[in-house]
Amino acid sequence: MQFDSFADFIDMGGHGLYVWLAYGTAFVAFAASYFSVRQAAARQREALRWQANASNSQERP
Amino acid sequence: MGLKQFWHKLGSPRWFYEISRGWIIGFGVAAFVLLSVGVVWSLGFAPQDYQQGNSVRIMYVHVPAAMVAQSVYIGMGVAGLVLFVWRMKLADIAIGACLPFGIFVTALALFTGGVWGKPTWGTWWEWDGRTVSTLVLLFLYIGIYALREAIVDIELRGRASALVAMVGTINIPIIKYSVDWWSTLHQPASFTLTKKPSMPPEMWLPLLVMALGVYCFAGHNILSRMRIEVVNRERGTQWVRNLQV
């Protein structure tokens, strides 16, 4: 471990703002990227289910 | 399976749908493990730089983002060539799927570069060869995205975006050699395939872990988007109707 205390870790030897800004932005961007794909997949599953139900009800009037 | 057979199967969206599930899970798990280890390692355990202090930790985000930004573009250029020569539908889907992640990771490379530049160079932005050519990369990604949004005809859209993707690959060697051609603020490459890294293993090992993690994340993201688009385009077919969703 490179740091003596938690405060030291946050401060990053005076470069805390830059280090945490870089890692924070990366985290937000990766999370957004992951969840947007998940959401698109979920939306598609919903649409396919709807399509399947619609065609089923057509077959059995 | 022979190479020729593999090539033919790649043209089948259904085959891609079936095979990609395993790849997506694999890339996803690998990305999660590698990035978790890499973040803890690079933030807490990698050594400080004797000149830059702790701001060197930004490298572990910036360098992988920049590497993947260029690799994804190369992948898109190759997909463009495949689409142009063989008219493979999956290549068109691949171009579309590369764009959102490409835009995001290039923007991240530029942003983290600025955040690293401020404490190191004393400025957020410099009109330096590498920053400008990376900005051009971002504009290429956005340009192809806009082009695909603007053209309705699927055939024309594919060919137009494939052409721009291919032509734009000229920018990749420019990014690579920019630090040698215009020697301004950006440091030259610390990693090459042929030479020993110019940093100690305590630094390049976590960097390697982070880079592999971002590559796996890119694989997960792009293949997931391709899979969604494959199903989208094949919605009328029997095999998609038979899917248990």
Side-chain angles (χ1 to χ4, degrees):
Chain A
M1 190 74 188
Q2 292 286 324
F3 302 96
D4 299 327
S5 68
F6 186 68
D8 244 21
F9 179 60
I10 296 299
D11 184 55
M12 288 278 164
H15 285 148
L17 170 69
Y18 306 109
V19 174
W20 293 112
L21 188 59
Y23 277 78
T25 313
F27 182 80
V28 169
F30 275 67
S33 203
Y34 174 73
F35 284 110
S36 82
V37 166
R38 267 187 70 125
Q39 204 185 12
R43 232 183 283 127
Q44 181 170 67
R45 268 197 303 276
E46 191 62 36
L48 288 178
R49 229 173 271 142
W50 186 84
Q51 192 184 21
N53 288 341
S55 60
N56 279 350
S57 57
Q58 261 175 6
E59 280 158 22
R60 286 183 264 109
Chain B
M1 173 168 38
L3 194 65
K4 197 167 177 202
Q5 209 181 348
F6 177 74
W7 191 245
H8 276 284
K9 282 201 167 176
L10 256 185
S12 150
R14 184 181 179 175
W15 178 79
F16 176 82
Y17 179 86
E18 279 158 10
I19 200 84
S20 62
R21 192 182 136 81
W23 297 347
I24 290 168
I25 294 171
F27 276 133
V29 171
F32 183 77
V33 172
L34 287 164
L35 290 176
S36 304
V37 171
V39 165
V40 172
W41 196 346
S42 59
L43 273 176
F45 295 90
Q48 293 184 24
D49 185 78
Y50 76 106
Q51 279 181 324
Q52 300 179 26
N54 282 306
S55 67
V56 75
R57 299 186 194 287
I58 297 168
M59 170 181 76
Y60 303 106
V61 178
H62 173 71
V63 172
M67 283 164 76
V68 172
Q70 294 167 58
S71 301
V72 169
Y73 195 91
I74 294 171
M76 218 166 63
V78 172
L81 183 71
V82 171
L83 181 64
F84 227 74
V85 177
W86 289 281
R87 306 227 172 162
M88 193 187 278
K89 263 195 250 169
L90 200 59
D92 179 45
I93 293 172
I95 294 176
C98 284
L99 288 167
F101 189 72
I103 291 172
F104 131 77
V105 83
T106 311
L108 184 67
L110 283 167
F111 181 78
T112 52
V115 172
W116 195 9
K118 186 61 185 164
T120 315
W121 300 341
T123 178
W124 295 97
W125 180 261
E126 171 66 34
W127 292 98
D128 150 282
R130 186 160 273 187
T131 47
V132 172
S133 50
T134 306
L135 187 65
V136 170
L137 183 70
L138 180 64
F139 290 159
L140 277 168
Y141 273 124
I142 294 174
I144 298 171
Y145 187 86
L147 192 66
R148 290 179 70 90
E149 289 290 308
I151 303 175
V152 181
D153 182 69
I154 210 164
E155 196 81 2
L156 184 65
R157 180 175 75 191
R159 291 178 75 77
S161 53
L163 192 66
V164 182
M166 278 190 293
V167 172
T169 50
I170 294 169
N171 189 41
I172 299 295
I174 296 179
I175 297 175
K176 181 165 165 44
Y177 294 110
S178 58
V179 282
D180 306 321
W181 292 341
W182 305 287
S183 194
T184 55
L185 276 181
H186 201 289
Q187 61 178 320
S190 329
F191 259 145
T192 57
L193 286 175
T194 45
K195 275 181 266 169
K196 263 178 64 170
S198 58
M199 54 180 121
E202 301 87 73
M203 284 182 158
W204 68 253
L205 270 174
L207 182 57
L208 185 66
V209 170
M210 288 291 271
L212 289 174
V214 178
Y215 270 106
C216 289
F217 188 94
H220 174 271
N221 198 273
I222 292 167
L223 289 175
S224 301
R225 284 189 195 282
M226 283 177 73
R227 194 172 149 95
I228 292 168
E229 184 59 19
V230 161
V231 173
N232 222 9
R233 290 197 188 181
E234 301 280 305
R235 260 178 91 162
T237 62
Q238 199 55 48
W239 74 267
V240 169
R241 281 195 211 144
N242 291 344
L243 286 180
Q244 297 296 318
V245 285

